[in-house]
Amino acid sequence: DAGITQSPRHKVTETGTPVTLRCHQTENHRYMYWYRQDPGHGLRLIHYSYGVKDTDKGEVSDGYSVSRSKTEDFLLTLESATSSQTSVYFCAISESAGGAGYTFGSGTRLTVV
Amino acid sequence: KNQVEQSPQSLIILEGKNCTLQCNYTVSPFSNLRWYKQDTGRGPVSLTIMTFSENTKSNGRYTATLDADTKQSSLHITASQLSDSASYICVVSFNNNDMRFGAGTRLTVKP
């Protein structure tokens, strides 16, 4: 997807290990979001950022932390991965809050064994 | 509770046929409603966005309708193509920045 890159695309990790997912954008958008997508559920917001060093919790933030030290990068960290965090994680960017220009990355499939 | 329900969960149609997907929501106060298409292994891509005052929006063969009184939306796909096979997600925004995603309808178009 143009302007937004997630890495890695796939990862398998063991329970209890720390994991960091990266979202990189080249659009200079102010807002960045992390979602998880699970079967039978809509995308659920984990954390979002409204500027460098400005972040807030979403609907399902327990067990996750985020950091944004630069406009272009938004990191999602699982401090101690659990099997319930096996999911597909999507990053999204937008120019304004709830704006029409909401763009998603291609996702990271994380498996915790 | 702010919720978005989509139906059906899955749908199989033959190439060339039309179909309609449904979205009901209880989100309040309403800001806008969007439909996204998500291909397997990809992120969602926006198809349409409608505000409270709009009751229809088209994007090629995709036409979305909105009835804000009954809190219902539909996405109509005309003359389906194999490339329409995907999940279609309804997203409702409220309080300016909060969004709720439906679980999606999985559409399969067969030749």
Side-chain angles (χ1 to χ4, degrees):
Chain A
D1 296 282
I4 179 170
T5 306
Q6 290 186 233
S7 59
R9 287 298 311 275
H10 303 272
K11 185 170 182 65
V12 179
T13 191
E14 293 186 348
T15 300
T17 61
V19 177
T20 295
L21 309 183
R22 179 180 184 238
C23 178
H24 178 78
Q25 61 145 330
T26 57
E27 304 297 319
N28 201 36
H29 284 350
R30 178 182 176 189
Y31 291 84
M32 299 185 75
Y33 309 82
W34 276 108
Y35 289 89
R36 61 179 288 173
Q37 186 175 41
D38 303 292
H41 291 273
L43 282 125
R44 291 178 291 175
L45 182 64
I46 304 171
H47 282 280
Y48 68 99
S49 169
Y50 47 96
V52 173
K53 292 186 171 33
D54 292 323
T55 65
D56 206 349
K57 296 179 179 180
E59 186 184 357
V60 290
S61 59
D62 287 347
Y64 302 94
S65 62
V66 290
S67 66
R68 192 168 177 201
S69 59
K70 298 184 291 184
T71 298
E72 57 265 35
D73 289 325
F74 193 33
L75 304 181
L76 176 70
T77 298
L78 290 66
E79 302 290 347
S80 178
T82 67
S83 58
S84 65
Q85 293 176 312
T86 292
S87 187
V88 181
Y89 291 86
F90 286 96
C91 177
I93 59 174
S94 68
E95 284 185 277
S96 59
Y102 208 83
T103 304
F104 285 90
S106 295
T108 294
R109 181 173 293 277
L110 176 67
T111 303
V112 183
V113 298
Chain B
K1 185 177 180 180
N2 294 305
Q3 287 188 318
V4 178
E5 301 288 339
Q6 292 188 243
S7 62
Q9 283 189 328
S10 61
L11 181 63
I12 300 173
I13 62 173
L14 293 176
E15 186 178 13
K17 298 296 186 182
N18 304 334
C19 67
T20 300
L21 314 180
Q22 300 290 344
C23 174
N24 297 333
Y25 61 92
T26 58
V27 165
S28 180
F30 174 90
S31 292
N32 59 65
L33 186 146
R34 315 167 201 213
W35 283 93
Y36 283 87
K37 179 186 180 187
Q38 184 177 20
D39 293 313
T40 301
R42 307 287 294 176
V45 174
S46 180
L47 292 174
T48 64
I49 178 169
M50 290 180 290
T51 60
F52 183 87
S53 59
E54 297 174 295
N55 55 22
T56 187
K57 183 73 69 78
S58 291
N59 179 358
R61 295 179 296 102
Y62 301 101
T63 299
T65 64
L66 173 64
D67 185 334
D69 291 332
T70 61
K71 298 186 176 181
Q72 294 179 325
S73 177
S74 64
L75 180 69
H76 186 73
I77 303 174
T78 304
S80 61
Q81 300 176 358
L82 297 178
S83 59
D84 292 331
S85 294
S87 289
Y88 292 84
I89 301 172
C90 175
V91 185
V92 184
S93 297
F94 61 105
N95 290 338
N96 271 343
N97 196 27
D98 289 321
M99 297 164 71
R100 287 291 182 269
F101 290 73
T105 292
R106 178 71 203 174
L107 175 66
T108 302
V109 180
K110 294 198 168 184

